Amino acid sequence: MSDFLSAAGWGAARQEALAGDASARRYTRLFLDGQTAILMQDPEGDVALFTRLARHLCGMGLSAPRILAEDTANGLLLIEDLGDDLVARLAETPTAERDLYLLATDVLIDLHRHPAAPDLPIATPDHLAQQIDLAFIHYTQAPEALPRAIAAFHPLLEAHAQPAEVMVLRDYHAENILFLPDRSDTARAGLLDFQDALLGHRAYDLVSLVQDARRDVRADTAKACIAHYCTATGHAETPFRASLAVLGAQRNLRILGVFARLAATRGKPHYIDLIPRVWAHLQNDLAHPLLAPVKEVLDTALPAPSPDHLTRLKSPCPTP
């Protein structure tokens, strides 16, 4: 790392560790001669992919971090510092939330007007259906119910999660979006997390935005974002809402398993505290009539997040 920073001209910079995310990535803010940059260390990921996707997004006028230096062999990147003004922190009033979330929706509208980055993994119905396995392995130990859940999900994903035609950023929520007021149009939204991008359905990132695992989004804000997207793209709202419900159920079911796994294997029990909100999103999605076959399976296979169950999910946590 020292050699990398020295070669990039940042060897003498003061370093300040930043809060990490659910991955093994580590972030450090560097200060040098009145300038700042971010050192990203990703020992388990593919920083070459991050670099390629960042440049793709910047090329269409969106605000991904510029790549200042890279050492892909050692998982090191020096990237532009987009600041600390997360949408999650700024959306404190109903008006601020609505304005910021509509900006985030405009980013998706803009993103979906451009060709996706080449060679992305494709979110096929098979891929999406299989991803719910984590809920049956980590949130509850009921692997025998997984085949029935997949069988119930698969035809819905075939009908409502296709075509896979746009670049899906995948973890598109308020703690991964920065507000950049000095920029214009959709470049005012800084994008932080896109290295797990897929080629998928255009509803996926919108449901990720409005069904946030980490904060409550006002119902009128979510409604405004969905209506704005449909109006701007010419999609009828009723079938689009069906896609939102199907993909929302798939996503929230997967998140239940991801959060439980983070507690059990990464020593991150605080993710368990987010599960009741994710469960509420899941129940909201399952209320859509289309999802009745899935709801029938899940009602018997998945326990509600009672205090006792949440405590059990925290109990196997190793020391961080």
Side-chain angles (χ1 to χ4, degrees):
M1 185 186 74
S2 297
D3 291 344
F4 170 70
L5 292 178
S6 295
W10 287 79
R14 179 171 65 85
Q15 301 184 15
E16 180 181 287
L18 299 177
D21 54 19
S23 73
R25 291 184 293 270
R26 298 192 299 277
Y27 299 91
T28 305
R29 176 168 281 132
L30 307 178
F31 301 83
L32 182 67
D33 299 332
Q35 303 295 315
T36 63
I38 302 295
L39 171 66
M40 186 176 92
Q41 300 168 268
D42 192 354
E44 297 180 0
D46 183 351
V47 296
L49 177 61
F50 182 96
T51 298
R52 180 169 72 86
L53 296 180
R55 288 173 173 151
H56 177 83
L57 293 168
C58 288
M60 66 177 70
L62 298 176
S63 291
R66 290 181 297 111
I67 307 300
L68 307 178
E70 56 190 290
D71 177 358
T72 56
N74 292 300
L76 298 171
L77 286 181
L78 190 65
I79 62 177
E80 178 185 13
D81 184 1
L82 295 178
D84 293 314
D85 288 336
L86 291 171
V87 166
R89 298 175 188 166
L90 299 179
E92 296 179 339
T93 67
T95 299
E97 181 186 86
R98 180 186 176 94
D99 291 345
L100 290 166
Y101 274 69
L102 286 174
L103 169 61
T105 304
D106 280 333
V107 170
L108 296 180
I109 294 167
D110 202 1
L111 176 67
H112 297 168
R113 286 172 177 160
H114 290 80
D119 301 322
L120 293 176
I122 301 174
T124 64
D126 286 345
H127 175 79
L128 293 169
Q130 190 57 50
Q131 282 190 323
I132 69 174
D133 64 343
L134 295 179
F136 297 86
I137 297 170
H138 294 285
Y139 177 75
T140 186
Q141 286 73 48
E144 69 283 354
L146 178 60
R148 291 189 293 118
I150 290 176
F153 251 119
H154 200 276
L156 298 178
L157 292 166
E158 287 274 11
H160 302 285
Q162 298 295 300
E165 60 181 350
V166 300
M167 182 175 176
V168 169
L169 303 183
R170 194 171 174 185
D171 289 313
Y172 192 66
H173 56 77
E175 289 194 4
N176 281 336
I177 307 170
L178 291 157
F179 183 52
L180 309 174
D182 294 335
R183 303 188 185 186
S184 59
D185 300 324
T186 51
R188 291 179 298 147
L191 307 177
L192 295 180
D193 193 339
F194 43 79
Q195 56 269 16
D196 294 324
L198 299 168
L199 187 69
H201 190 276
R202 57 184 61 244
Y204 191 97
D205 279 339
L206 188 57
V207 79
S208 174
L209 178 69
V210 300
Q211 291 189 2
D212 196 327
R214 294 160 178 81
R215 69 181 305 273
D216 294 323
V217 179
R218 293 171 56 91
D220 57 338
T221 296
K223 182 178 180 179
C225 290
I226 295 166
H228 178 55
Y229 183 90
C230 290
T231 299
T233 59
H235 284 78
E237 191 165 332
T238 297
F240 192 73
R241 281 187 172 275
S243 294
L244 289 168
V246 171
L247 284 166
Q250 183 272 345
R251 175 178 169 79
N252 287 306
L253 191 56
R254 177 178 177 271
I255 290 173
L256 288 178
V258 169
F259 285 177
R261 182 177 63 177
L262 284 168
T265 67
R266 292 287 184 94
K268 297 182 177 183
H270 59 282
Y271 281 98
I272 301 303
D273 298 330
L274 303 177
I275 280 179
R277 183 181 290 111
V278 178
W279 180 266
H281 291 324
L282 175 61
Q283 299 310 306
N284 183 64
D285 294 324
L286 294 176
H288 195 289
L290 278 172
L291 283 146
V294 176
K295 185 177 188 302
E296 182 179 356
V297 176
L298 299 186
D299 281 350
T300 59
L302 293 186
S306 66
D308 286 346
H309 185 59
L310 295 178
T311 299
R312 284 194 295 272
L313 291 176
K314 286 185 176 184
S315 61
C317 297
T319 302

